[in-house]
Amino acid sequence: MYARAGRLGLIVLESDQVLEPEMRRALPEDVDYHVARVRYTGVHDAGLAAATRGVAGAIRTLLPVHPDVIVWACTSASFYRGRRGHEILLKRLALLARGVPTLTASAAVVRTLHRLRAVRLGVVAPYPPEINARLTTFLQEEGFVVERLLGLYDSAVDDDTLQRTPGPRLREAIETAARDVDAVLVSCTGLVTLPLLDAVTEAVGRPVVSSNAAILAEALAVLPSPGPVRGFHALLRALALPAA
């Protein structure tokens, strides 16, 4: 066995094409990660509920590899029932994980934004309007002020389309959302964000937090002394985490 600083367990949607590659490129070399996938039919109540039900089985498949932290890495499936629903979900995850620390994408986002002392937010999201509205409500319940939310799509799109959202389109939305706010949140683990964060943060002059960057930052905060993270150095410096 080689020396390692920690082991991350990730629960992702079956359609995920983004989070795994972003983790592979950014995680410190001394951190392992293992992935379990859950059934997913779309960003609507039935699809999000079904995906969340699959988390119990996913955790069971991850426990034998002895992860140091387990992350339920779907942002919308952790916020869509509001703050109270999220709190119930966190308690359920903790019970299922039998002492292994657990985290959701939404918890990571909230913790990262609080650590940045951000209150007034510009938000960019790829969800349909009804899910965007629930995101706004959840963030407000967590103590944030959503100054503006820019939806990337007018209605629900399939996951393949969502995960192919062009970088220039995403960057333009971030720059628009960044006016007169403390930070910008890019919500959804299906958006490719890590390659953009440093450049767009410099361009807008304020922190830009994506779901994937928050998952990395908050999961690594649980691990014992990991090596430096590769990429999105501006956010890591703001959070006082080591950057490569």
Side-chain angles (χ1 to χ4, degrees):
M1 292 291 289
Y2 58 90
R4 64 178 181 84
R7 182 171 290 149
L8 171 62
L10 284 172
I11 304 170
V12 303
L13 302 176
E14 63 181 356
S15 54
D16 174 63
Q17 305 168 38
V18 170
L19 185 62
E20 273 195 88
E22 292 217 313
M23 290 287 171
R24 182 169 59 250
R25 297 184 187 109
L27 276 172
E29 293 181 358
D30 55 359
V31 174
D32 298 334
Y33 75 100
H34 300 270
V35 176
R37 291 178 176 255
V38 298
R39 180 83 173 119
Y40 179 63
T41 59
V43 62
H44 44 72
D45 276 47
L48 297 173
T52 304
R53 285 195 298 272
V55 167
I59 289 177
R60 282 195 295 272
T61 69
L62 288 171
L63 288 178
V65 303
H66 305 291
D68 296 291
V69 58
I70 295 174
V71 183
W72 171 210
C74 179
T75 321
S76 54
S78 46
F79 72 64
Y80 82 108
R81 287 180 172 166
R83 182 179 185 183
R84 178 59 181 152
H86 183 233
E87 290 172 346
I88 292 169
L89 174 60
L90 288 172
K91 291 177 181 177
R92 178 172 174 249
L93 295 181
L95 183 64
L96 290 166
R98 305 175 190 172
V100 177
T102 55
L103 191 65
T104 66
S106 292
V109 162
V110 168
R111 292 179 193 181
T112 297
L113 290 170
H114 281 318
R115 287 209 280 154
L116 292 169
R117 298 183 181 179
V119 176
R120 297 163 58 245
L121 304 179
V123 180
V124 176
Y127 313 123
E130 61 271 21
I131 302 299
N132 285 338
R134 295 193 194 191
L135 173 58
T136 297
T137 298
F138 172 76
L139 292 169
Q140 290 171 337
E141 290 173 337
E142 291 289 351
F144 301 105
V145 176
V146 178
E147 296 288 354
R148 67 188 59 84
L149 189 151
L150 299 183
L152 294 169
Y153 298 97
D154 295 330
S155 59
V157 296
D158 65 88
D159 261 24
D160 191 62
T161 298
L162 187 156
Q163 292 178 96
R164 294 176 185 271
T165 300
R169 180 179 181 182
L170 185 54
R171 176 166 178 159
E172 181 181 4
I174 292 169
E175 291 175 348
T176 301
R179 295 194 311 270
D180 303 317
V181 296
D182 300 324
V184 177
L185 168 63
V186 184
S187 182
C188 187
T189 57
L191 294 172
V192 178
T193 57
L194 298 191
L196 298 173
L197 289 190
D198 278 348
V200 76
T201 294
E202 183 177 354
V204 302
R206 62 207 70 226
V208 180
V209 177
S210 70
S211 293
N212 293 353
I215 287 170
L216 275 159
E218 300 305 323
L220 290 171
V222 178
L223 299 180
S225 303
V229 184
R230 293 165 284 183
F232 63 104
H233 294 175
L235 179 58
L236 294 171
R237 285 195 298 271
L239 296 171
L241 289 170

